[in-house]
């Protein structure tokens, strides 16, 4: 690609046929052979590698993303995920032996086969427009599915580049792209899919889920989150400030997993604010406005939304607060708020707003975090080991990073996804393959077992006793207490780690 191609909407009337075509290809079994999948993945790798420069240019135009962030968190992340999938695909696609099969059922030779789900739809959003489309696509290809991608229209330059890559490097019968906005996305949701993978806000997420329910289509929803960070009085304010500030500087805070608000113990609040200021000066010595390493807000609509949130706050601006709509520049802004109902807390900012809510101890922090949003995408816990363990045990979230901001997302072998209102389903690494795979139960009964399985045939008279003999017996009573026989006790004593170590005098 020599230049960024023109972004053009896909003609609406062509969408049904495009979807049918992708389905026909799946039904032709073309995408099932492992070698085919590997070739497509390798080609996708080179499609990204060969076009790194132009992709960086496109993202700079779309969202002012610094090329370093594009390489690290968009293109490089996808390339690494492809290499990982290529290395492990043989292992992932192998039939699995189910665990703990009772002796009587072994004759059915049970196994779990990894079948591709079929023809899938991937709808992406604008903040990481490459990663959020290509990472699910890697999973779909690896699983043997065909796929149609619908990138976000809000990042048109990047979407046009992705179209070029997909059309030039991949099998056009199997992998397709639809460009457009609501009308095109709605038309896609009218078609038949075997899975829908949606990333974006919860409002559209509900639409996708409802539409999917009409045809009983399974879906993955990767939604947003009102993510808390908790900084206790025993946290290291220097580290907490640097790490949390970084999370709000990346992509100008347009990161679904960045903290939406920070609950800071009142005792260390002044120190924490001083450290935020110090870190900001260190990261952007000439100020963020002039820095090449700070992005822009995607468009005027999102800019206005952020501005409105800031206008509505009853908090006190401690750092930042400047903005320029023409340039879509929004300064990282630290605001001390006193109320959980503040506009900066109740809404997801998805931008460089950093509200700090002072708290008096960990009990209050955990209570407030659960009250504000009890199933966010991420939780970030800064404090002593005992404190962060309590936060881990007493909150819920898609993922959690302890003494860091969204570090868990960068680990390529950890599942990434939400829980409850922040979404369902997960991907990255092997999880992407699993997201598009059906674990098909297979039994294959040899003829020689006919006598053994005769117990299932009528006439049934007298057969229940035989079945009961083969059934398991509980080792617990009606109060739920474990009741062990003499042999059971001996086994329990020998296997009990604590007892054994007590005897050995550990
Ligand atoms: P957006 O406007 O780009 O919309 C997302 C996608 O939905 C686009 O492709 C768009 O065309 C499509 N769409 C819009 N209206 C639709 C409709 N009526 N029917 C079908 N499709 C429709 O982005 P957004 O929704 O503003 O995204 C921001 C949100 O995404 C934030 O809440 C953020 O937290 C979340 N997000 C989540 C993740 C994650 O991985 N969990 C990642 C990035 C962003």
């Amino acid at each position: 690609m020599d230049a960024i191609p023109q972004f053009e909407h896909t003609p609406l009337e062509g969408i049904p046929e495009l979807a049918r075509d992708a389905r026909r290809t799946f039904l032709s079994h073309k995408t099932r052979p492992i070698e085919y999948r590997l070739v497509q993945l390798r080609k996708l790798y080179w499609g990204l590698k060969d076009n790194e420069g132009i992709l960086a240019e496109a993202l700079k135009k779309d969202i002012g993303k610094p090329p370093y962030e594009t390489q690290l968190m968009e293109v490089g992340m996808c390339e690494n995920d492809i290499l990982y999938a290529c290395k492990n695909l043989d292992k992932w696609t192998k039939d699995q032996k189910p665990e703990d099969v009772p002796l009587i059922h072994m004759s059915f030779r049970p196994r779990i086969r990894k079948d591709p789900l079929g023809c899938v739809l991937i709808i992406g959003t604008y903040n990481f427009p490459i990663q959020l489309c290509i990472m699910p696509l890697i999973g779909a290809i690896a699983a043997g599915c065909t796929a149609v991608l619908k990138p976000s229209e809000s990042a048109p330059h990047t979407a046009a580049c992705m179209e070029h890559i997909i059309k030039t490097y991949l099998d056009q019968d199997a992998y397709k792209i639809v460009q457009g906005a609501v009308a095109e996305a709605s038309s896609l949701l009218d078609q038949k899919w075997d899975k829908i993978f949606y990333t974006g806000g919860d409002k559209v997420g509900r639409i996708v889920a409802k539409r999917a329910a009409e045809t009983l289509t399974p879906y993955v929803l990767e939604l947003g989150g009102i993510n808390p960070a908790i900084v206790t009085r025993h946290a290291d304010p220097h580290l907490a400030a640097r790490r949390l500030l970084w999370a709000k500087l990346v992509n100008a805070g347009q990161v679904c997993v960045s903290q939406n608000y920070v609950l800071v113990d009142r005792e260390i609040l002044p120190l924490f604010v001083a450290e935020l200021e110090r870190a900001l000066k260190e990261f952007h010595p000439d100020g963020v406005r002039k820095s090449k390493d700070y992005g822009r807000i995607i468009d005027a609509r999102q800019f206005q939304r952020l501005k409105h949130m800031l206008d509505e706050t009853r908090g006190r601006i401690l750092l930042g607060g400047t903005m320029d709509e023409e340039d879509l520049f929004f300064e990282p802004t630290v605001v001390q708020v006193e109320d959980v109902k503040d506009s900066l807390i109740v809404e997801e900012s998805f931008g460089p707003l950093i509200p700090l809510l002072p708290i008096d101890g960990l009990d209050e922090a955990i209570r407030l975090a659960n009250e504000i949003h009890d199933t966010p995408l991420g939780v970030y816990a800064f404090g002593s080991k005992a404190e962060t363990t309590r936060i881990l045990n007493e909150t819920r979230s898609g993922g959690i990073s302890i003494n860091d901001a969204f570090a868990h997302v960068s680990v390529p072998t950890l599942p990434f996804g939400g829980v409850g209102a922040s979404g369902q389903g997960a991907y990255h690494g092997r999880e992407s393959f699993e997201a598009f795979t059906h674990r098909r139960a297979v039994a294959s009964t040899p003829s020689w077992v006919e006598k053994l399985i005769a117990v299932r045939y009528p006439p049934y008279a007298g057969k229940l006793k035989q079945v009961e003999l083969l059934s398991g017996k509980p080792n617990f009573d009606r109060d739920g207490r474990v009741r062990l026989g003499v042999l059971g006790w001996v086994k329990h004593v020998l296997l009990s780690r604590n007892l054994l170590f007590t005897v050995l005098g550990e």
Side-chain angles (χ1 to χ4, degrees):
M1 208 174 356
D2 301 326
I4 299 170
Q6 191 70 28
F7 174 83
E8 278 169 16
H9 284 233
T10 305
L12 275 176
E13 60 280 10
I15 291 175
E17 183 51 25
L18 180 143
R20 277 196 295 272
D21 206 23
R23 174 163 299 281
R24 267 195 297 273
T25 304
F26 177 72
L27 294 174
S28 75
H29 315 301
K30 186 181 188 184
T31 57
R32 282 182 180 252
I34 309 299
E35 190 51 31
Y36 170 91
R37 306 182 201 182
L38 284 171
V39 167
Q40 295 303 311
L41 287 171
R42 292 171 192 147
K43 287 185 171 181
L44 183 57
Y45 176 88
W46 287 111
L48 295 169
K49 195 87 199 155
D50 293 346
N51 293 292
E52 281 176 353
I54 207 105
L55 286 169
E57 213 180 290
L59 274 151
K60 187 86 191 155
K61 275 188 186 266
D62 281 333
I63 194 165
K65 200 178 288 239
Y68 181 76
E69 285 181 19
T70 296
Q71 191 49 39
L72 213 69
M73 297 180 193
E74 294 261 42
V75 185
M77 199 163 162
C78 294
E79 288 168 355
N80 287 335
D81 206 50
I82 295 174
L83 295 179
Y84 184 69
C86 288
K87 193 169 153 217
N88 291 292
L89 194 58
D90 267 340
K91 186 169 76 190
W92 297 345
T93 49
K94 281 219 164 45
D95 285 357
Q96 229 182 333
K97 278 200 174 139
E99 286 176 8
D100 304 324
V101 178
L103 197 63
I104 183 180
H105 294 113
M106 278 186 178
S107 53
F108 296 125
R109 293 180 180 155
R111 66 197 154 97
I112 299 161
R113 194 182 132 92
K114 306 296 183 67
D115 260 8
L117 275 178
C119 179
V120 303
L121 172 64
I122 296 166
I123 302 177
T125 185
Y126 62 81
N127 60 332
F128 290 92
I130 300 176
Q131 191 211 118
L132 300 176
C133 275
I134 300 295
M135 297 276 276
L137 177 65
I138 295 167
I141 298 175
C145 295
T146 56
V148 176
L149 251 64
K150 213 300 279 165
S152 174
E153 70 281 14
S154 303
H157 298 96
T158 316
C161 290
M162 281 197 287
E163 178 169 356
H164 174 87
I165 292 172
I166 282 162
K167 287 187 170 164
T168 317
Y169 288 79
L170 296 187
D171 179 355
Q172 288 198 53
D173 293 339
Y175 312 109
K176 296 170 187 291
I177 189 159
V178 165
Q179 301 284 21
V182 180
E184 291 78 5
S186 299
S187 168
L188 281 167
L189 291 176
D190 287 337
Q191 315 308 317
K192 161 108 184 100
W193 304 103
D194 295 305
K195 189 150 201 176
I196 301 173
F197 191 110
Y198 168 78
T199 306
D202 62 341
K203 280 195 191 81
V204 177
R206 278 170 231 267
I207 297 174
V208 170
K210 276 188 192 153
R211 300 293 302 277
E214 286 164 14
T215 47
L216 296 177
T217 303
Y219 50 78
V220 169
L221 296 179
E222 297 286 346
L223 309 177
I226 300 186
N227 311 316
I230 299 176
V231 182
T232 76
R233 72 186 61 157
H234 299 113
D236 176 339
H238 174 68
L239 278 189
R242 280 169 74 83
R243 293 176 181 186
L244 288 172
L245 181 69
W246 166 78
K248 279 290 174 187
L249 293 177
V250 167
N251 213 27
Q254 297 158 106
V255 183
C256 58
V257 279
S258 65
Q259 72 281 355
N260 199 57
Y261 62 95
V262 191
L263 300 166
V264 198
D265 196 291
R266 217 177 280 279
E267 207 175 289
I268 66 160
L269 183 68
L271 209 52
F272 181 71
V273 174
E275 289 292 351
L276 281 172
E277 194 170 8
R278 190 170 127 194
L280 192 59
K281 282 207 182 101
E282 187 195 326
F283 296 157
H284 297 287
D286 299 324
V288 274
R289 181 74 206 253
K290 284 196 204 140
S291 175
K292 287 193 177 69
D293 297 337
Y294 185 69
R296 293 295 182 265
I297 302 305
I298 187 78
D299 56 28
R301 189 166 66 93
Q302 297 299 341
F303 181 94
Q304 277 302 329
R305 185 185 56 77
L306 282 168
K307 181 175 179 306
H308 182 71
M309 278 181 80
L310 193 58
D311 289 344
E312 288 294 296
T313 182
R314 289 188 300 273
R316 189 161 54 91
I317 295 181
L318 303 179
L319 294 172
T322 70
M323 59 195 85
D324 175 359
E325 185 165 3
E326 210 155 289
D327 185 27
L328 296 171
F329 165 79
F330 209 108
E331 194 179 10
T333 301
V334 179
V335 185
Q336 181 173 335
V337 300
E338 296 295 339
D339 180 6
V340 286
K341 298 272 180 277
D342 195 279
S343 60
L344 299 186
I345 300 234
V346 292
E347 275 176 59
E348 181 194 5
S349 72
F350 206 50
L353 295 170
I354 311 174
L356 311 179
L357 183 65
I359 40 129
D360 297 300
L362 190 54
D363 286 345
E364 188 189 7
I366 293 174
R367 182 176 56 76
L368 288 180
N370 285 327
E371 226 171 83
I372 291 165
H373 191 306
D374 66 350
T375 54
L377 199 52
V379 167
Y380 308 106
F382 293 82
S384 68
K385 178 120 186 4
E387 287 168 331
T388 55
T389 305
R390 261 199 74 193
I391 296 169
L392 181 64
N393 289 340
E394 296 176 27
T395 59
R396 291 183 294 170
S397 62
I400 178 164
S401 288
I402 292 164
N403 287 324
D404 210 344
F406 64 79
H408 62 279
V409 182
S410 62
V411 182
T413 48
L414 276 179
F416 171 63
V419 60
S422 58
Q424 50 189 286
Y427 69 129
H428 287 190
R430 184 179 187 142
E431 294 293 328
S432 303
F433 166 81
E434 300 291 351
F436 293 102
T437 295
H438 171 56
R439 289 159 50 80
R440 194 176 183 188
V442 183
S444 122
T445 316
S447 49
W448 60 264
V449 300
E450 191 57 10
K451 275 238 162 67
L452 286 176
I453 61 174
V455 71
R456 71 187 185 183
Y457 301 125
Y460 297 138
K463 286 187 174 165
L464 206 54
K465 281 231 160 63
Q466 293 176 42
V467 174
E468 275 173 0
L469 271 177
L470 295 167
S471 303
K473 300 273 178 287
N475 68 349
F476 47 84
D477 65 14
R478 285 182 173 74
D479 293 322
R481 282 184 302 242
V482 172
R483 290 278 178 236
L484 300 170
V486 180
L487 262 176
W489 270 112
V490 172
K491 203 170 141 197
H492 180 69
V493 168
L494 286 177
L495 292 181
S496 158
R497 196 174 171 273
N498 288 344
L499 247 166
L500 206 62
F501 286 148
T502 314
V503 171
L504 295 175
E506 190 198 63

